[in-house]
Every structure is written in C-alpha cells, then in structure tokens.
Amino acid sequence: MTDDSTLPETLTLVEAYRAAFFMTDMYIGLESSPDEGLVLFHQYLQSDPARWEDWQKSVRTALRFDADTDPLVGNLSRD
C-alpha cells in the first residue's frame, strides 16, 4: 500500500483492474447525469463473469504498443 503522494511504477493485473474500476466508479459518482453506457460498463465490471478474461485480453493489447492506436498519444505529456 502507498500513501497518496507516492505511486508505484508498476501494478499487478489485479491492482490495475481495481484502478480502472475505481476510476469509473469515481467518475460516475461525480457526474450529475453520467452517460448510460458508462454506467452499464461499470455494472459489467462488477458482474459479468467474462470480465476477467476481457481484462487480460485488453492488457495484452495494451502491451503491444502501437503509436497509431495509443489512447495516450496526444493526451499526456511525454518526456
């Protein structure tokens, strides 16, 4: 566990999944009228038995870096 000022350089698959879940949960909680699709996605993260296999497939896709399809390109400052 880490305090709020220090973040690890790497996460386990489980920790990364939790982070994605909590980010979605936080966004839905902050919005007065969250997008219905995001609410359905949040429900899927909580209940669909295929979610873990889907998560692993998504991680494998993310590890095959392709600058043309990277969702972070243009959205984050890179050194």
Side-chain angles (χ1 to χ4, degrees), residues 10-22:
T10 61
L11 299 173
T12 67
L13 286 177
V14 171
E15 291 166 334
Y17 184 88
R18 282 188 193 125
F21 176 86
F22 290 132

Side-chain angles (χ1 to χ4, degrees), residues 48-60:
D48 191 319
R51 69 186 178 270
W52 186 247
E53 289 80 20
D54 293 346
W55 176 252
Q56 291 174 336
K57 182 178 179 182
S58 297
V59 169
R60 286 185 195 96

Side-chain angles (χ1 to χ4, degrees), residues 8-69:
E9 289 294 317
T10 61
L11 299 173
T12 67
L13 286 177
V14 171
E15 291 166 334
Y17 184 88
R18 282 188 193 125
F21 176 86
F22 290 132
M23 182 176 176
T24 306
D25 190 60
M26 179 179 60
Y27 179 83
I28 288 172
L30 291 172
E31 290 295 308
S32 60
S33 297
D35 178 75
E36 182 179 338
L38 189 57
V39 172
L40 291 172
F41 176 71
H42 188 258
Q43 291 171 350
Y44 154 79
L45 290 177
Q46 295 178 48
S47 62
D48 191 319
R51 69 186 178 270
W52 186 247
E53 289 80 20
D54 293 346
W55 176 252
Q56 291 174 336
K57 182 178 179 182
S58 297
V59 169
R60 286 185 195 96
T61 300
L63 292 174
R64 291 189 303 270
F65 176 77
D66 179 358
D68 293 333
T69 60

